[in-house]
Amino acid sequence: MTLLTKLQDSQKKLYKKKITSFFHNDYENQRELLSSFPEPLSLMDRSFFQYICQMSSIPVLVRITQNIIALPLLFFYMLKPYKKLNTTKGKEEGSAVFLREGLTVKAIPESLKNEFSDIYECALKGNLFMDNNDKRIAFRSMLKYWKSPYFILKCIIKMSIYSNVIHIYKPKAIITHNEYSFASSFLTMYCRLNNVEHINVMHGEKLFNIRDAFVQYDRFYIWDKHYQDLLIQLQAEESQFMVEIPKDLYFDMEKQEEYKYVLTYYLGGEDEIELLSIYRNLSNLNTSLDKICIRYHPRYSNIETIKKVFYNCVIEDPNIVELSKSLSITKYVASLYSTVLFQAYVNGKKVVINDLSSPEKFESLSELNYIMMNKPYIKLSELLIV
């Protein structure tokens, strides 16, 4: 494992602890930090301000360690000789590249798919390449932000991936879903310098979180105007947004004469105490537990703990049962906060928000601008046995 990999892994672990719940940041503190920034004068400013926002929740010792590790890596990538790329693939003119990172082209809105002659899928973690122009951009960044080597390092590595893609595919546009990366606005600047459009597509639920602050693409596709208003509150550039729901959010759901489950609860990253509270509240619903299904999160859930807590409920494996099938066979779709609730809403399902297990989190959802608080929903407390 390289130093860079260790650095990235440690960053991911920190973010995972911080963002699996989304309730860790105090709304007022976030607003206060946002108001302390001057107006960004460039795309580089936007990336740097987003970096400062994200680092505000990282312990000081960790930030110092990141910068110490980043410094020699920065010089390594700057001085490293890069092999000349073989660009004889001759990709189709007017095409785009989708840096998928776990998604497929189904996440791209139809109008965007129809705009380009072809869309090539690539991994965001690809080969690195820098030519002399790239190194000049990197050097100017180092001069301006020399006090933040980790910031520069991440921007340069992402730029090197983009450079590799641009040289090989010669795309008209690069499509991504990476607004949570502080390098995103820097990459918009880089794409513009190379006459490539930088387009972002929404891929998951959002609350008011300065992780996404100051972001700017050439185009940013969102699922609802609500997200435009939310991101503008986070100082994102206003003119970039386009509203379009991709087909991926709509499901061809099976019609049910009688639902298999009265309610399916979609878990996130809850700890054992929260899971026990959810179980107690589900036990008080006006239905038997064998009519309640628990679907765990494929990345954030501890499966053994879930099996222990919900020992007499049906537990649904998301790796086996497709989401469309899961939604088809249940009457109510329940969670505290989940992308699935919005998906259920656009597909005409009855949405239930858990107001019982963590009342303080439920109360904060409106403050944090959760979209489903402004859509039709039922409180879990309304389904209790009277």
Side-chain angles (χ1 to χ4, degrees), residues 31-50 52-53 144-145 213-215 233-237:
R31 294 289 302 180
E32 185 177 347
L33 178 59
L34 276 177
S35 66
S36 70
F37 289 96
E39 186 71 23
L41 301 178
S42 66
L43 289 163
M44 279 296 293
D45 280 350
R46 287 188 173 277
S47 270
F48 189 66
F49 292 172
Q50 188 175 7
I52 296 298
C53 286
K144 185 170 184 180
Y145 300 104
F214 293 101
V215 67
Q233 286 182 42
L234 290 164
Q235 304 299 325
E237 194 276 331

Side-chain angles (χ1 to χ4, degrees), residues 271-330:
D271 59 28
E272 186 168 356
I273 294 174
E274 290 172 316
L275 293 174
L276 287 166
S277 179
I278 292 169
Y279 175 77
R280 284 193 296 270
N281 288 306
L282 294 180
S283 299
N284 289 324
L285 296 185
N286 193 16
T287 188
S288 58
L289 285 173
D290 63 349
K291 288 293 183 180
I292 294 174
C293 178
I294 305 298
R295 185 178 172 101
Y296 59 85
H297 195 286
R299 290 193 301 276
Y300 300 139
S301 296
N302 185 316
I303 300 171
E304 293 307 313
T305 303
I306 289 167
K307 288 179 179 178
K308 181 178 71 173
V309 172
F310 299 97
Y311 67 96
N312 55 351
C313 296
V314 178
I315 297 175
E316 189 172 84
D317 186 341
N319 299 305
I320 297 175
V321 182
E322 291 186 0
L323 183 56
S324 58
K325 177 70 173 178
S326 177
L327 292 175
S328 294
I329 59 179
T330 190

Side-chain angles (χ1 to χ4, degrees), residues 152-163:
I152 303 167
L153 176 67
K154 189 165 182 180
C155 286
I156 288 176
I157 289 173
K158 289 285 185 75
M159 179 184 72
S160 302
I161 295 171
Y162 272 48
S163 181

Side-chain angles (χ1 to χ4, degrees), residues 170-212:
K170 299 178 175 58
K172 185 179 178 182
I174 290 178
I175 304 169
T176 185
H177 53 100
N178 208 28
E179 72 280 354
Y180 52 83
S181 169
F182 58 73
S184 55
S185 298
F186 169 84
L187 293 169
T188 300
M189 176 198 73
Y190 178 72
C191 285
R192 289 178 180 179
L193 291 173
N194 286 276
N195 298 312
V196 175
E197 193 175 10
H198 198 207
I199 302 171
N200 195 69
V201 295
M202 185 172 174
H203 64 288
E205 193 53 79
K206 291 202 169 295
L207 296 178
F208 187 94
N209 192 320
I210 55 174
R211 181 190 66 159
D212 300 322

Side-chain angles (χ1 to χ4, degrees), residues 67-288:
N67 282 310
I68 291 172
I69 295 174
L71 194 57
L73 289 173
L74 189 56
F75 285 100
F76 170 77
Y77 285 109
M78 281 291 293
L79 299 175
K80 174 185 174 181
Y82 292 89
K83 292 181 181 179
K84 188 174 181 180
L85 293 173
N86 178 7
T87 59
T88 58
K89 292 185 179 181
K91 297 300 178 182
E92 190 172 345
E93 188 175 348
S95 64
V97 170
F98 179 46
L99 299 177
R100 57 181 184 267
E101 198 177 15
L103 296 186
T104 69
V105 290
K106 290 180 180 179
I108 300 175
E110 289 303 300
S111 66
L112 195 53
K113 290 180 188 175
N114 296 332
E115 182 178 338
F116 299 101
S117 58
D118 205 346
I119 297 178
Y120 302 100
E121 295 184 63
C122 295
L124 184 56
K125 294 178 181 178
N127 295 323
L128 307 184
F129 176 78
M130 278 201 287
D131 61 18
N132 289 333
N133 286 331
D134 298 334
K135 289 187 176 183
R136 278 192 283 270
I137 293 169
F139 183 68
R140 287 197 295 269
S141 301
M142 288 174 67
L143 287 178
K144 185 170 184 180
Y145 300 104
W146 60 271
K147 291 182 180 179
S148 304
Y150 178 68
F151 167 71
I152 303 167
L153 176 67
K154 189 165 182 180
C155 286
I156 288 176
I157 289 173
K158 289 285 185 75
M159 179 184 72
S160 302
I161 295 171
Y162 272 48
S163 181
N164 184 71
V165 166
I166 290 170
H167 279 84
I168 291 176
Y169 291 91
K170 299 178 175 58
K172 185 179 178 182
I174 290 178
I175 304 169
T176 185
H177 53 100
N178 208 28
E179 72 280 354
Y180 52 83
S181 169
F182 58 73
S184 55
S185 298
F186 169 84
L187 293 169
T188 300
M189 176 198 73
Y190 178 72
C191 285
R192 289 178 180 179
L193 291 173
N194 286 276
N195 298 312
V196 175
E197 193 175 10
H198 198 207
I199 302 171
N200 195 69
V201 295
M202 185 172 174
H203 64 288
E205 193 53 79
K206 291 202 169 295
L207 296 178
F208 187 94
N209 192 320
I210 55 174
R211 181 190 66 159
D212 300 322
F214 293 101
V215 67
Q216 182 174 351
Y217 289 85
D218 292 309
R219 280 186 269 172
F220 190 153
Y221 283 82
I222 52 177
W223 300 336
D224 191 283
K225 189 179 180 299
H226 169 91
Y227 299 108
Q228 175 179 339
D229 299 335
L230 171 62
L231 287 161
I232 288 173
Q233 286 182 42
L234 290 164
Q235 304 299 325
E237 194 276 331
E238 296 185 17
S239 67
Q240 63 186 307
F241 297 105
M242 307 189 77
V243 179
E244 185 175 349
I245 299 177
K247 278 188 176 180
D248 197 35
L249 260 66
Y250 292 105
F251 299 119
D252 184 17
M253 293 191 292
E254 303 170 13
K255 292 183 179 179
Q256 303 289 321
E257 294 292 330
E258 185 177 339
Y259 293 112
K260 184 175 181 179
Y261 305 115
V262 172
L263 180 143
T264 298
Y265 197 97
Y266 293 79
L267 295 172
E270 294 90 348
D271 59 28
E272 186 168 356
I273 294 174
E274 290 172 316
L275 293 174
L276 287 166
S277 179
I278 292 169
Y279 175 77
R280 284 193 296 270
N281 288 306
L282 294 180
S283 299
N284 289 324
L285 296 185
N286 193 16
T287 188
S288 58

